[in-house]
Amino acid sequence: MKRKTYDLVRMYNVFNVKSNKEVFALLKQGCKEALSISQEEFDKNFFKIKKEKKEKTTSNVGGNYRSSGGAGNSGRDYATPAADALVDKWYETRDPDWLYSHPDYFWEGLACSFETSAPFVATNLVKEFKYPRYDRHDPIDPLSLEWNIFDWGAGVGLTTLIFAKSYPNSTVYYNEINEKQITLFKWLLKKSGLSNVKIIHDLEDLPELDMLVGIEIVEHFQEPMPFLRPLLNKVKKGGLFAHSSYWESEMKMPTLGHFRTYNFDGDIRRVDKNRHIYNGFRKAMAREGWDFLDWDPFQHKPRFYRKK
């Protein structure tokens, strides 16, 4: 059956502008006004998608492959020379708190949010509710929802704002540890005029959740479940976890903050064994009492779990 078209709430709708190009201009303006980043500094530091992938070389550093100048399989360089320098320290320490709170990681977070998390994953989530992709569940009218939604590790918060605009009768909670990204988010939130967003610094302050959203965050912990479990416990029975992680990107070229192996409570999984990581995560979620929802047989992101 042909899917209905739906005027999705995208980034440019959030700010009442006409294109993502205008959103990009807003990001520049926000960086200037909130962070005193000049246009020249912005243009220098924000990554450029390459029309043709550069030829990249890899070397084995302590058993962990790294790139001499690239991230993931998107054909882009790291955001800045400073971000490239972060790679060396990252492979030495493997400390997520150090990496994601580092001022230079701001650019990587901004790039990921603008190019992937907001335009694709967040809007897919809205679309899946309104018009189920394969009629695997009843449509959910976003206007009818009065939910508590938590956007975990939301970066500059473009995803948070999309959810808040899409679900105007719900409360969306924002969380991030990078101070520069938080500062820019506060500027964007004011610009959006949305009033149903709350910033959470202490996860203990979260209310009972109807939906936990984790977009490109779980894969940044080599042992994810101890970090994820307290948040899963905040979700009410029957609540949802919308999850998107690019474990598979490590198979082609490792990205900043990713790992070659993951430990799911003693179940060790490797990225170079096809869907080994993804299947390990699904089993870990099942052990926690969550059902995988087969809403999309082709498993476009995000993937959904429901708490038993």
Side-chain angles (χ1 to χ4, degrees), residues 58-266:
T58 59
S59 61
N60 193 313
V61 180
N64 293 284
Y65 293 95
R66 61 152 295 179
S67 165
S68 62
N73 53 11
S74 61
R76 68 175 174 86
D77 288 336
Y78 285 115
T80 62
D84 272 327
L86 291 179
V87 180
D88 294 321
K89 185 69 173 178
W90 163 250
Y91 279 103
E92 178 185 338
T93 66
R94 297 291 182 168
D95 183 352
D97 285 339
W98 169 83
L99 178 63
Y100 305 123
S101 61
H102 197 287
D104 290 332
Y105 191 78
F106 167 79
W107 298 104
E108 283 287 307
L110 178 62
C112 291
S113 183
F114 181 76
E115 292 290 341
T116 303
S117 300
F120 298 114
V121 182
T123 52
N124 279 349
L125 190 156
V126 176
K127 179 169 57 179
E128 181 60 48
F129 275 23
K130 184 68 175 179
Y131 292 109
R133 195 183 303 258
Y134 298 99
D135 297 323
R136 297 294 184 93
H137 66 86
D138 293 331
I140 302 171
D141 182 1
L143 297 180
S144 70
L145 300 182
E146 296 181 7
W147 280 5
N148 288 322
I149 301 169
F150 179 46
D151 195 7
W152 179 35
V156 299
L158 292 176
T159 52
T160 307
L161 299 177
I162 287 175
F163 299 142
K165 183 79 171 183
S166 303
Y167 313 127
N169 298 315
S170 297
T171 301
V172 184
Y173 295 86
Y174 164 91
N175 167 260
E176 176 57 50
I177 66 171
N178 187 285
E179 290 298 331
K180 290 177 72 173
Q181 294 192 65
I182 295 170
T183 299
L184 180 57
F185 171 71
K186 290 178 178 178
W187 187 92
L188 292 170
L189 176 60
K190 184 176 181 180
K191 203 74 175 176
S192 74
L194 294 167
S195 59
N196 58 331
V197 175
K198 294 185 178 180
I199 299 173
I200 289 288
H201 298 290
D202 188 343
L203 300 183
E204 292 297 323
D205 294 336
L206 281 170
E208 185 178 56
L209 301 174
D210 296 275
M211 182 166 66
L212 168 64
V213 180
I215 299 178
E216 323 311 336
I217 184 168
V218 174
E219 72 272 31
H220 293 296
F221 301 97
Q222 193 164 25
E223 298 184 33
M225 301 314 293
F227 294 93
L228 180 58
R229 189 171 290 115
L231 295 176
L232 296 176
N233 291 339
K234 288 281 187 178
V235 181
K236 70 180 185 181
K237 185 177 180 180
L240 297 176
F241 175 38
H243 164 255
S244 171
S245 283
Y246 282 91
W247 321 101
E248 298 88 350
S249 67
E250 291 263 83
M251 295 172 63
K252 295 186 178 181
M253 189 172 292
T255 57
L256 185 61
H258 288 219
F259 300 88
R260 299 295 297 173
T261 62
Y262 288 86
N263 182 347
F264 298 104
D265 296 332

